[in-house]
């Protein structure tokens, strides 16, 4: 225990290292701004944003995903406190997906403090909108409660909209999945499929929106395609909508020229290309090409059937993954030329990767952009609920 604490807090990989770096970089940034010296950060960033991104970038430097996993443990603890502070509560779930299933459903219901947790089948859940949330973290770090304040922001604004017509609040299930490198892909996809089937068959949910950020958005998109294939063999409730926040579209990192991604990583993002490569090595089993469409949707040439209520993509115009997301969005628009309204896109400039979720809790101007994006997600979700309830 003492050794673990020592490793977590002390140099070179822990909190103390970040604190020492802060003592160095903060005066440098202030001096640079006072005297208008050349710098690489976007001109729109204020001092607090510049400092925050430099510190996050430092904490995520290199290929050391183990260090990041330790830091995410602290973020998860903060997430639990934020859920309570925002007026919600957490109910943990861990059970078999079914009597004959080898997969364990694990995660957390995030509900209002007076709401009932839907762990048993009931007609009450039939018409409620349920969000199945899949967290990011390169398939390697994080948990169902990472950045939970962002989830609560969506729920809170949705609740405001629902109260206007006396509709029930949404239900929010944040799932866990096995982490790489201990578990290779597609173990994560298989676990998510079992969780989805559990919601439909064991809980009795019929209106589901799948949402995820970064690697979680990659997983959400891959699940949608898997469900479409499964529906051809046996009838299954399909998700009504997808929400993809800064989705990881290319695990191979070969679609976009490396120098373009390096430019974003060095100027307007905290996510390093080295860390992306480490995540890719962790998740990909031997024998699976990283350009395989089953894990890198950017290379999927087959037309994608849109969910009934569409897909909402939120991302930055200045993140490492921007070129890949831009190209995927354009491809989807060409595929769905007759139903272009089913693809909604919110692209915000001068923001880092996953700004809507990962940096929601920080009191900088990024939070303002994050809150706006999450409220748009809530409006999109509420529109899906209305169409599902009143067959609009």
């Amino acid at each position: 225990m003492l050794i673990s604490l020592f490793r977590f807090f002390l140099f070179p990989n822990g909190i103390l290292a970040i604190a020492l770096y802060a003592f160095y970089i903060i005066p440098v940034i202030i001096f640079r701004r006072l005297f208008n010296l050349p710098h690489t950060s976007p001109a729109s960033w204020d001092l607090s944003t510049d400092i925050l991104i430099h510190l996050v970038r430092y904490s995520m430097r290199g290929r050391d995903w183990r260090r990041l996993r330790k830091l995410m443990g602290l973020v998860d603890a903060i997430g639990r406190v934020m859920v309570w502070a925002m007026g919600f509560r957490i109910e943990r779930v861990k059970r078999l997906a079914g009597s004959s299933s080898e997969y364990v459903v694990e995660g957390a219901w995030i509900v209002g403090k007076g709401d009932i947790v839907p762990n048993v089948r009931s007609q009450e859940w039939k018409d409620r909108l349920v969000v199945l949330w899949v967290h990011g973290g390169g398939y390697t770090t994080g948990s169902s409660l990472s950045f939970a304040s962002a989830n609560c922001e969506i729920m809170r604004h949705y609740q405001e909209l629902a109260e206007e017509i006396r509709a029930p609040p949404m239900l929010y299930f944040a799932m866990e999945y096995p982490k790489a490198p201990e578990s290779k892909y597609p173990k994560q996809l298989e676990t998510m499929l079992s969780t989805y089937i559990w919601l439909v068959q064991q809980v009795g949910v019929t209106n589901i929106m799948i949402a995820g950020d970064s690697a979680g958005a990659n997983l959400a998109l891959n699940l949608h395609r898997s469900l479409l294939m499964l529906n051809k063999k046996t009838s299954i409730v399909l998700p009504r909508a997808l929400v993809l926040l800064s989705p990881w579209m290319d695990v191979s990192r070969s679609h976009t020229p490396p120098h373009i991604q390096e430019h974003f990583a060095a100027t307007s993002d905290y996510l390093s290309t080295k860390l992306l490569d480490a995540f890719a090595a962790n998740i990909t089993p031997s024998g699976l090409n990283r350009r395989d469409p089953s894990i890198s949707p950017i290379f999927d040439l087959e037309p994608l059937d849109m969910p009934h209520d569409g897909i909402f993509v939120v991302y930055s115009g200045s993140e490492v993954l921007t070129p890949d997301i831009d190209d995927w969005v354009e491809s989807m628009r060409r595929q769905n030329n007759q139903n272009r309204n089913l693809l909604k896109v919110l692209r915000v400039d001068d923001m880092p990767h996953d700004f809507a979720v990962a940096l929601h809790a920080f009191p900088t101007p990024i939070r303002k952009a994050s809150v706006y994006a999450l409220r748009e997600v809530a409006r999109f979700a509420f529109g899906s609920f209305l169409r599902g309830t009143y067959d609009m």
Side-chain angles (χ1 to χ4, degrees):
M1 178 65 178
L2 290 176
I3 294 175
S4 297
L5 288 173
F6 180 84
R7 288 176 177 172
F8 182 76
F9 283 101
L10 299 184
F11 193 84
N13 292 324
I15 298 296
L16 181 58
I18 299 173
L20 292 173
Y21 178 73
F23 278 112
Y24 157 73
I25 197 62
I26 292 176
V28 169
I29 294 173
I30 294 174
F31 182 83
R32 190 182 64 201
R33 285 174 166 267
L34 281 175
F35 294 97
N36 293 320
L37 298 178
H39 59 89
T40 58
S41 302
S44 63
W45 284 6
D46 73 338
L47 177 62
S48 63
T49 301
D50 209 353
I51 291 172
L52 174 63
I53 299 305
H54 272 83
L55 293 179
V56 176
R57 184 183 293 154
Y58 178 79
S59 70
M60 298 181 67
R61 68 197 184 282
R63 301 173 60 93
D64 190 357
W65 54 268
R66 293 177 180 85
R67 176 184 63 244
L68 184 59
R69 184 180 279 184
K70 294 174 186 175
L71 291 173
M72 286 302 296
L74 179 61
V75 172
D76 292 352
I78 295 172
R80 292 182 177 89
V81 174
M82 292 293 290
V83 170
W84 176 82
M86 295 178 75
F88 297 91
R89 64 188 176 95
I90 299 164
E91 289 288 339
R92 303 290 306 190
V93 174
K94 188 172 183 179
R95 61 184 63 189
L96 288 175
S99 58
S100 60
S101 176
E102 62 177 295
Y103 294 98
V104 174
V105 171
E106 187 172 0
W109 288 105
I110 303 176
V111 297
K113 290 183 178 178
D115 210 351
I116 302 173
V117 178
N119 282 331
V120 295
R121 189 176 184 88
S122 170
Q123 284 293 112
E124 185 176 347
W125 326 128
K126 185 177 179 182
D127 295 325
R128 299 273 289 270
L129 178 68
V130 175
V131 175
L132 175 57
W133 172 259
V134 203
H135 70 85
Y139 283 91
T140 301
T141 68
S143 78
S144 59
L145 296 178
S146 296
F147 315 118
S149 65
N151 302 142
C152 293
E153 187 74 55
I154 296 171
M155 295 180 68
R156 185 162 61 182
H157 189 64
Y158 182 98
Q159 192 166 317
E160 291 172 0
L161 296 172
E163 287 174 353
E164 293 179 3
I165 62 169
R166 297 183 180 180
M170 68 163 51
L171 300 170
Y172 217 100
F173 187 74
M175 65 166 285
E176 301 282 5
Y177 55 85
K179 300 299 184 295
E182 294 83 1
S183 298
K184 299 289 188 179
Y185 192 85
K187 184 71 173 179
Q188 295 79 8
L189 181 61
E190 293 166 353
T191 301
M192 190 178 181
L193 179 59
S194 295
T195 302
Y196 183 92
I197 292 174
W198 170 76
L199 283 171
V200 171
Q201 296 183 352
Q202 304 297 317
V203 181
V205 172
T206 57
N207 291 330
I208 303 180
M209 184 179 84
I210 305 175
D213 68 304
S214 194
N218 173 292
L219 193 52
L221 189 56
N222 292 335
L223 175 66
H224 175 62
R225 186 171 286 281
S226 297
L227 289 169
L228 290 173
M229 295 174 62
L230 181 62
N231 194 49
K232 293 178 182 178
K233 302 175 183 177
T234 178
S235 180
I236 187 170
V237 174
L238 293 174
R240 293 196 63 87
L242 297 181
V243 173
L244 310 177
L245 307 174
S246 293
W248 191 14
M249 292 296 185
D250 179 17
V251 172
S252 71
R253 217 164 61 79
S254 63
H255 178 75
T256 299
H259 72 275
I260 296 178
Q261 291 185 323
E262 294 289 354
H263 168 74
F264 284 129
T267 57
S268 52
D269 206 350
Y270 56 78
L271 184 61
S272 75
T273 54
K274 289 182 180 179
L275 190 60
L276 276 176
D277 290 339
F279 286 156
N282 282 349
I283 190 63
T284 313
S286 58
L288 178 62
N289 190 325
R290 293 181 190 175
R291 292 170 62 93
D292 190 302
S294 68
I295 195 170
S296 293
I298 193 70
F299 299 111
D300 196 343
L301 302 179
E302 294 293 324
L304 179 69
D305 290 340
M306 297 285 280
H308 185 274
D309 297 331
I311 299 176
F312 186 20
V313 187
V314 179
Y315 66 110
S316 165
S318 313
E319 62 176 288
V320 170
L321 304 183
T322 295
D324 295 335
I325 304 172
D326 280 343
D327 288 350
W328 184 85
V329 166
E330 185 56 35
S331 174
M332 290 298 296
R333 282 175 172 157
R334 289 195 302 269
Q335 288 180 24
N336 296 276
N337 190 49
Q338 302 301 319
N339 297 299
R340 293 174 70 93
N341 60 321
L342 289 179
L343 181 64
K344 182 178 180 180
V345 177
L346 177 61
R347 187 180 189 271
V348 184
D349 288 334
D350 292 344
M351 289 288 118
H353 173 66
D354 206 12
F355 73 95
V357 174
L359 302 178
H360 171 264
F362 293 93
T364 70
I366 293 178
R367 177 176 168 79
K368 183 177 180 181
S370 168
V371 169
Y372 173 76
L374 295 173
R375 289 186 174 184
E376 288 299 304
V377 170
R379 291 189 183 98
F380 176 77
F382 190 64
S384 178
F385 162 75
L386 291 177
R387 285 186 288 272
T389 304
Y390 301 110
D391 196 24
M392 296 173 65

